[in-house]
Amino acid sequence: MTLVVASHNEGKVREIAELFAPFKIEVKSAASLDLPEPDETGDSFAANARLKALAAAKAAGLPAIADDSGLEVKALGGDPGIFSARWGGAEKDFGLAMERVEEALAASGVTDRRANFICALALAQPDGSVATTVGKVFGTLVWPPRGSKGFGYDPIFVPDGYEQTFGEMDPDQKNALSHRMRAFEKLIMGRFDEVA
Amino acid sequence: MTLVVASHNEGKVREIAELFAPFKIEVKSAASLDLPEPDETGDSFAANARLKALAAAKAAGLPAIADDSGLEVKALGGDPGIFSARWGGAEKDFGLAMERVEEALAASGVTDRRANFICALALAQPDGSVATTVGKVFGTLVWPPRGSKGFGYDPIFVPDGYEQTFGEMDPDQKNALSHRMRAFEKLIMGRFDEVA
């Protein structure tokens, strides 16, 4: 059986291929199938994951999985949220994005530095049905950024119960804790947040 | 997250634990949790898998997975079917069970030796919801039995497109083809045969 990963990020595709390999599920990327990349016009992580997965499933005639993830900062009312990548500008410069978050926190005058990463996963079938799950990991923002192992906002995020930022952790340790793995666990265990 | 495997067969539990390990899902056996083993009173493979998974999920307060599998012989109207293990008597002697199948085929006077293995999987939640999938692999029965690598009826079953019996194949090769892996693929891909 073949599963399409509705992503043009080959690193993400490889990671998902490794998860599904024991089940003898062949994973193909949207890029390798020359599938169009829909605009992420949803108003939530789950909505964006849904529209990406559905577009790929229908275009390929195969089940497709997609994710959408980002950082939610409590004192900023959940920002940058679904615009997490866009806070880095056209270049998706996360150094810039982290600075903007820190500036917004300073400007807010609030001392609460709690934040969470969030990942929505959607698994769509060619017939249009979609199941979604959402995983979160809670923690605190630090400044300045520390570590160069992760990506995105990892260098300023320290998960609750740990001292290191995600940027300082080994990939295995981060993956075991991460919002993405929590969303995958729920998906694999059939604990869907939404089925439509 | 923890998933209960509603089986007292430690080999089966280990096999399932390996499948779920990449997702950081911890797998526990019904035996290790001291869960009761319900009688398999269902009238189908799916019904038996459902009742085992549900009983475990409710008793443990955790998601639980169960399977039920067997051999269906076309010329015997699908027998031994859900009674596949019982054809081996109280001792579950599959040497005896294979002989009984061969005798029944001879007695039927039919030359059609087609058969399929079937595996039903059920994934139950503590709230009582259950998703099931069914996987099949089609082939032909041979006599006498060949090979000692599998279990059950494997030594008399040659899958379509192959020369070796399941009893002669390496576990990796058999697993990639098997009814059980097909049911798992469908489960993981959210292609449920039934949700209730």
Side-chain angles (χ1 to χ4, degrees), chain B residues 12-25:
Chain B
K12 195 181 283 184
V13 174
R14 263 198 310 279
E15 187 188 333
I16 293 176
E18 283 169 23
L19 288 174
F20 286 90
F23 296 96
K24 314 296 177 196
I25 293 169

Side-chain angles (χ1 to χ4, degrees), chain B residues 170-190:
Chain B
D170 289 328
D172 273 0
Q173 188 181 3
K174 178 192 155 189
N175 285 342
L177 296 174
S178 82
H179 46 306
R180 176 190 300 255
M181 193 53 76
R182 283 173 196 204
F184 262 114
E185 280 175 356
K186 289 169 75 177
L187 192 74
I188 294 308
M189 306 258 272

Side-chain angles (χ1 to χ4, degrees), chain B:
Chain B
M1 227 182 268
T2 303
L3 174 67
V4 177
V5 178
S7 169
H8 284 66
N9 175 337
E10 291 300 326
K12 195 181 283 184
V13 174
R14 263 198 310 279
E15 187 188 333
I16 293 176
E18 283 169 23
L19 288 174
F20 286 90
F23 296 96
K24 314 296 177 196
I25 293 169
E26 190 190 0
V27 167
K28 289 187 175 169
S29 70
S32 75
L33 295 170
D34 224 5
L35 302 180
E37 258 183 300
D39 289 331
E40 300 185 15
T41 54
D43 61 358
S44 69
F45 291 98
N48 279 330
R50 278 178 66 88
L51 66 86
K52 287 188 279 186
L54 257 179
K58 288 186 172 173
L62 291 167
I65 195 166
D67 73 351
D68 197 48
S69 56
L71 179 73
E72 295 180 320
V73 181
K74 198 154 191 286
L76 304 181
D79 284 343
I82 58 170
F83 303 110
S84 288
R86 274 169 262 183
W87 276 38
E91 305 286 320
K92 294 190 182 172
D93 174 350
F94 280 98
L96 175 63
M98 289 189 284
E99 273 175 28
R100 285 197 180 160
V101 165
E102 187 60 25
E103 280 164 18
L105 267 176
S108 74
V110 179
T111 56
D112 181 355
R113 299 185 62 88
R114 281 179 291 173
N116 65 271
F117 277 120
I118 172 171
C119 175
L121 281 176
L123 177 58
Q125 308 296 337
D127 70 2
S129 62
V130 194
T132 57
T133 59
V134 173
K136 294 182 183 182
V137 56
F138 295 88
T140 308
L141 299 182
V142 295
W143 194 261
R146 301 187 331 233
S148 55
K149 285 180 182 156
F151 56 88
Y153 295 92
D154 283 354
I156 58 171
F157 184 83
V158 175
D160 288 344
Y162 294 81
E163 305 281 330
Q164 291 184 307
T165 68
F166 266 179
E168 294 173 310
M169 287 186 183
D170 289 328
D172 273 0
Q173 188 181 3
K174 178 192 155 189
N175 285 342
L177 296 174
S178 82
H179 46 306
R180 176 190 300 255
M181 193 53 76
R182 283 173 196 204
F184 262 114
E185 280 175 356
K186 289 169 75 177
L187 192 74
I188 294 308
M189 306 258 272
R191 312 195 93 172
F192 305 131
D193 289 292
E194 199 185 353
V195 180

Side-chain angles (χ1 to χ4, degrees), chain A residues 25 27 48-50 73 81 87 101 111 113 133 137 142 161 186:
Chain A
I25 292 170
V27 167
N48 279 331
R50 277 177 66 87
V73 181
W87 276 38
V101 165
T111 56
R113 299 184 62 87
T133 58
V137 56
V142 295
K186 289 169 74 178

